[in-house]
């Protein structure tokens, strides 16, 4: 890991503590919801609740998250998370009815969804306002890495606690970690605001941010324009954003015809965001019944599968950031490979094989998600990046919620094997169709590093 930018250590501590708490609570919620009901549909509903409210809020409040003191807002939202986790611990420890506990799970997931939607903007604003561009990029990469590490730690710790049957301790531990993360958020807030620095320190559009959720992270997020709603500076007519056609567009007085293929490329990215983003929550919903089928009554395998899945995401990020694999490779091969690997999960119940296949499956699908996020930054005209990111975030979030519900319903209606085979068919069909797309070569140029 590169040197931490001065003043960035508290932000990194905040992100590490929060990510451990989030993983600790999320793993326990999915496990406990299935243990209480033995119904995968309920587990899918609980999982979907972690996405839907954030989609709605992101669309409704996207123009309002750029106001106020970002670091103070970051601390305020974590109070909501800490309170929600503490309430979960109390409800669970009180031996409440299953309906009350499940309702508390759904409320906690909804709160997490909303807070994550807000925190993405707040963290981005803190980085853009308080750190110069090179240091901010490094810090964003370090935040992504620590988020993955936190997921590994939280997932592993949850498995150990769940093996004792004490899911309530996971919720209590998450509440404590969220409270500790508040101290880091306050220390971030103790640094001078960006508006106290000389005006030249901020480049155009330094106020505000936007970003996309990804339980695995990507390099492109660090390099994306932060101001989703900030009007871009006029682009000289001869220069065009890669693959987007003339930046001026219709009605801008240039007289140049817009790129006829640009709109088609954007629609294609939205279409492929459905299986790309939807596959990971589909897999996470199936992980609980899969662990129960392979090792009935044991939470240890569930924890191992969760950690293996997170490791897969980490490997995908490492492969992309190191240049060992490219976004082009993931776009071309990940969906077909994901289909084959999903079928492999359906074909075996041998624990070592299941763990290995799940690790590789999450690696290839996380890599595809990262590649799609690169396209989200590179494909639209420069003055439409923020708007397109919001639209794609809504499509991706809807796919995550829908695939979570679909996964649970398929397990209950047709069985675990059919659910895995369904995912295999969907990914295989989209992966094969990708090679027939006329604009595939033009899209691949957008992610090719020269």
């Amino acid at each position: 890991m590169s040197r931490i930018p001065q003043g960035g250590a508290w932000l990194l501590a905040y992100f590490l503590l929060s990510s451990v708490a989030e993983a600790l609570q999320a793993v326990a919620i999915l496990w406990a919801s299935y243990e209480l009901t033995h119904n995968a549909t309920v587990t899918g509903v609980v999982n979907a609740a972690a996405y839907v409210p954030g989609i709605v809020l992101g669309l409704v409040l996207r123009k309002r998250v750029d106001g106020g003191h970002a670091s103070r807002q970051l601390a305020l939202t974590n109070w909501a998370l800490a309170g929600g986790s503490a309430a979960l611990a109390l409800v669970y420890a009180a031996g409440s009815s299953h309906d009350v506990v499940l309702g508390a799970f759904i409320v906690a997931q909804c709160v997490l969804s909303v807070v994550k939607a807000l925190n993405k903007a707040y963290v981005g604003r803190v980085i853009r306002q308080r750190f110069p561009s090179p240091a901010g990029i490094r810090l964003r990469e370090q935040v992504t890495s620590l988020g993955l590490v936190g997921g590994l730690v939280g997932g592993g710790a949850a498995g150990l606690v769940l093996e004792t049957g004490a899911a309530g301790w996971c919720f209590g531990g998450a509440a404590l970690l969220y409270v500790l993360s508040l101290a880091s958020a306050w220390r971030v807030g103790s640094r001078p605001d960006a508006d106290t620095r000389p005006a030249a320190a901020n480049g155009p559009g330094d106020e505000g941010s936007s970003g996309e959720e990804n339980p695995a992270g990507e390099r492109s997020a660090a390099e994306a324009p932060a101001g989703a709603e900030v009007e871009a500076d006029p682009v000289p007519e001869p220069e065009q954003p890669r693959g987007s056609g003339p930046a001026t567009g219709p009605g801008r007085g240039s007289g140049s015809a817009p790129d006829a293929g640009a709109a088609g490329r954007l629609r294609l990215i939205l279409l492929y965001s459905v299986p790309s983003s939807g596959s990971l929550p589909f897999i996470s919903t199936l992980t609980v019944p899969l662990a129960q089928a392979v090792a009935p009554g044991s939470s240890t395998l569930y924890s191992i599968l969760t950690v293996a899945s997170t490791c897969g995401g980490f490997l995908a990020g490492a492969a992309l950031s190191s240049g060992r694999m490219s976004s082009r490779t993931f776009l071309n091969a990940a969906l077909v490979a994901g289909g084959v690997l999903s079928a492999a999960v359906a074909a075996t119940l041998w624990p070592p094989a299941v763990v290995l296949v799940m690790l590789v499956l999450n690696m290839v699908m996380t890599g595809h998600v990262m590649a799609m996020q690169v396209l989200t930054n590179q494909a639209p005209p420069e003055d439409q990046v923020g708007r397109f990111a919001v639209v794609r975030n809504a499509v991706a979030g809807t796919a995550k919620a829908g695939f979570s519900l679909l996964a649970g319903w398929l397990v209950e209606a047709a069985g675990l094997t059919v659910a895995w085979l369904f995912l295999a068919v969907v990914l295989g069909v989209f992966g094969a169709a990708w090679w027939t797309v006329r604009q595939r070569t033009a899209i691949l140029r957008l992610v090719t590093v020269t």
Side-chain angles (χ1 to χ4, degrees):
M1 181 178 290
S2 58
R3 185 175 64 85
I4 298 175
Q6 184 179 6
W10 289 112
L11 186 61
L12 294 178
Y14 163 84
F15 210 89
L16 177 61
L17 291 167
S18 296
S19 60
V20 173
E22 181 182 336
L24 185 65
Q25 178 171 298
V27 170
I29 282 179
L30 292 184
W31 174 263
S33 63
Y34 191 79
E35 279 285 285
L36 290 174
T37 64
H38 296 285
N39 189 313
T41 301
V42 173
T43 304
V45 170
V46 172
N47 200 17
Y51 304 107
V52 176
I55 300 169
V56 176
L57 190 75
L59 292 174
V60 172
L61 298 182
R62 67 185 185 276
K63 296 182 179 180
R64 301 182 181 180
V65 294
D66 290 326
H69 194 292
S71 55
R72 290 175 187 168
Q73 291 166 325
L74 201 60
L76 180 62
T77 53
N78 259 44
W79 272 119
L81 292 177
S85 298
L88 273 185
L90 292 175
V91 168
Y92 201 84
S96 304
S97 68
H98 291 182
D99 290 341
V100 172
V101 173
L102 291 173
F105 286 168
I106 292 174
V107 170
Q109 292 284 75
C110 290
V111 170
L112 177 65
S113 174
V114 171
V115 168
K116 287 176 68 174
L118 295 173
N119 279 5
K120 284 185 294 182
Y122 298 153
V123 170
R125 286 175 57 203
V126 169
I127 292 176
R128 283 296 294 263
Q129 292 173 356
R130 296 169 184 267
F131 303 95
S133 181
I137 291 174
R138 288 196 302 272
L139 188 59
R140 177 74 77 166
E141 293 171 345
Q142 291 161 350
V143 159
T144 298
S145 298
L146 279 179
L148 294 171
V149 172
L152 289 172
V153 174
L160 295 175
V161 175
L162 290 172
E163 190 65 24
T164 68
W169 286 102
C170 291
F171 307 135
L176 177 60
L177 288 169
Y178 280 130
V179 170
L180 291 176
S181 71
L182 286 169
S184 298
W186 285 328
R187 293 302 298 267
V188 171
S190 67
R191 290 179 53 79
D193 288 336
D195 55 16
T196 64
R197 299 183 308 180
N202 289 338
D206 271 4
E207 307 86 23
S209 68
S210 66
E212 163 144 0
E213 173 189 354
N214 180 9
E218 71 284 348
R219 290 176 61 85
S220 62
E223 301 164 358
E229 299 298 327
V230 178
E231 187 71 21
D233 289 340
V235 180
E237 185 174 332
E239 297 184 9
Q240 303 175 8
R242 293 173 57 194
S244 63
T248 52
R252 308 269 302 218
S254 69
S256 300
D259 183 354
R265 287 193 287 273
L266 297 183
R267 287 194 295 269
L268 195 64
I269 292 170
L270 294 178
L271 175 63
Y272 270 83
S273 293
V274 174
S276 178
S277 294
S279 62
L280 292 176
F282 190 99
I283 293 168
S284 66
T285 300
L286 294 185
T287 301
V288 183
L290 174 65
Q292 289 281 33
V294 175
S298 173
S299 64
T300 301
L301 180 62
Y302 174 54
S303 176
I304 293 173
L305 290 175
T306 300
V307 171
S309 299
T310 308
C311 284
F314 184 84
L315 291 175
L320 282 171
S321 62
S322 66
R324 295 179 184 275
M325 298 185 72
S326 65
S327 294
R328 183 187 185 100
T329 300
F330 280 112
L331 288 173
N332 281 334
L335 293 180
V336 172
V340 173
L341 291 165
S342 297
V345 176
T348 181
L349 291 178
W350 185 42
V354 171
V355 172
L356 178 60
V357 174
M358 286 286 282
L359 184 149
V360 181
L361 174 59
N362 278 272
M363 185 189 77
V364 298
M365 294 314 304
T366 300
H368 194 273
V369 169
M370 293 179 181
M372 294 298 292
Q373 290 166 346
V374 174
L375 285 175
T376 301
N377 289 334
Q378 296 296 98
E382 188 172 334
D383 60 347
Q384 297 177 21
V385 171
R387 279 171 282 177
F388 182 67
V390 169
V391 173
R392 185 189 171 275
N393 287 352
V395 170
T398 303
K400 291 173 183 178
F403 270 61
S404 296
L405 296 172
L406 182 60
W409 177 80
L410 281 172
V411 172
E412 293 303 315
L416 183 61
T417 299
V418 171
W420 282 110
L421 291 177
F422 173 83
L423 180 62
V425 171
V426 170
L427 295 179
V429 168
F430 272 90
W434 171 253
W435 289 89
T436 68
V437 172
R438 288 186 301 173
Q439 297 198 40
R440 183 175 67 88
T441 302
I443 290 176
L444 292 176
R445 290 197 195 102
L446 299 175
V447 298
T448 301
V449 178
T450 58

